[in-house]
Amino acid sequence: MSVEYDIPLTYKQGKYGLNELPENDGDTLVITFGEFEILSYFTPADDNEVRIYNSTDFPLSEQIVDEGLTASYDESGKLERVDLVCGDKEKLVYIAIEDEQQAEEIVLSNAQKNAALILDGLKDVKEQIAIVFSDYYNDVEGFDYHVKYASNDDIKAVADKHWDIYNCGNYPEENRIECDTDTLEIILSCLPGDIVYDMIDLLIETMNERISGGIDDLPNKADDIKFIVSEYD
């Protein structure tokens, strides 16, 4: 059985749980929690369907949605974003993006934040890093961005098999470092359709620039560390 939650598109400024929101006969964002523990809605601007799936990192249930869904309104009373809180975790569900300028600000801010997350992850690697691969899938549906690193020992193991040492796919998955792709995917899904691919390009370019510019400051880098961009499909 599906459960629908009507989130008013306008209300007074602030952040509210579901039980604090008024019943509204006006325009709403209708969020559905249904079969297979999928949270879904259609964006008000472009009527794009957005789906959020149950995962081990952030499990979904009717109780979690009932107790954790929150709506935030800006100073003009417009719905700004919807989040889902579960314990100490918070997941972006929806974000309102009205124009290209606002889109650029949101994309750039999140690109910088996620590049910093990846650089922090690289700093924690115990081995000396010789190659950092930017590995991404350039599509709003199923968007992904992560990096893989390779130590000199990793490179030797690949070379010994006569494989291409500059092919990201030849290195183990445990060398993979993630960023917050869940949030990035929601942002991209909520973008106006006429600018979405420009914003994906901006996101990837900015993250690549930030990470490639930051690897020289890694305490565990090899002297001749390389940054290689690797797009997959």
Side-chain angles (χ1 to χ4, degrees), residues 40-91:
S40 63
Y41 61 87
F42 290 90
T43 57
D46 288 336
D47 207 32
N48 295 326
E49 185 177 17
V50 179
R51 291 187 169 197
I52 299 171
Y53 296 92
N54 185 39
S55 69
T56 53
D57 291 336
F58 202 111
L60 298 178
S61 68
E62 187 175 337
Q63 180 180 354
I64 287 172
V65 176
D66 285 346
E67 296 177 355
L69 210 59
T70 64
S72 299
Y73 296 84
D74 64 19
E75 59 186 10
S76 67
K78 292 180 182 178
L79 179 63
E80 190 171 32
R81 59 187 289 149
V82 175
D83 296 282
L84 182 60
V85 178
C86 180
D88 60 352
K89 294 183 177 181
E90 187 169 24
K91 175 188 284 290

Side-chain angles (χ1 to χ4, degrees), residues 148-149 154 158 168-176:
K148 268 189 181 178
Y149 65 86
D154 292 324
V158 169
C168 176
N170 289 334
Y171 292 94
E173 282 300 297
E174 54 262 34
N175 289 17
R176 176 175 172 138

Side-chain angles (χ1 to χ4, degrees), residues 30 38 42 49 64 85 87 106-107 118 128 131 178-179 188 197 199 218 220 222:
V30 180
I38 297 173
F42 290 90
E49 185 177 17
I64 287 172
V85 178
I106 291 171
V107 166
I118 285 177
Q128 192 177 63
I131 302 176
E178 306 278 357
C179 62
L188 296 176
Y197 286 101
M199 293 299 108
L218 293 175
N220 50 352

Side-chain angles (χ1 to χ4, degrees), residues 164-213:
D164 181 2
I165 65 169
Y166 297 118
N167 184 333
C168 176
N170 289 334
Y171 292 94
E173 282 300 297
E174 54 262 34
N175 289 17
R176 176 175 172 138
I177 295 177
E178 306 278 357
C179 62
D180 186 4
T181 51
D182 286 349
T183 296
L184 295 177
E185 194 169 11
I186 293 296
I187 291 169
L188 296 176
S189 298
C190 291
L191 287 168
D194 58 337
I195 64 170
V196 61
Y197 286 101
D198 287 341
M199 293 299 108
I200 291 176
D201 289 343
L202 178 63
L203 173 62
I204 292 168
E205 288 169 8
T206 303
M207 290 186 68
N208 283 342
E209 288 173 3
R210 288 279 174 155
I211 295 167
S212 63

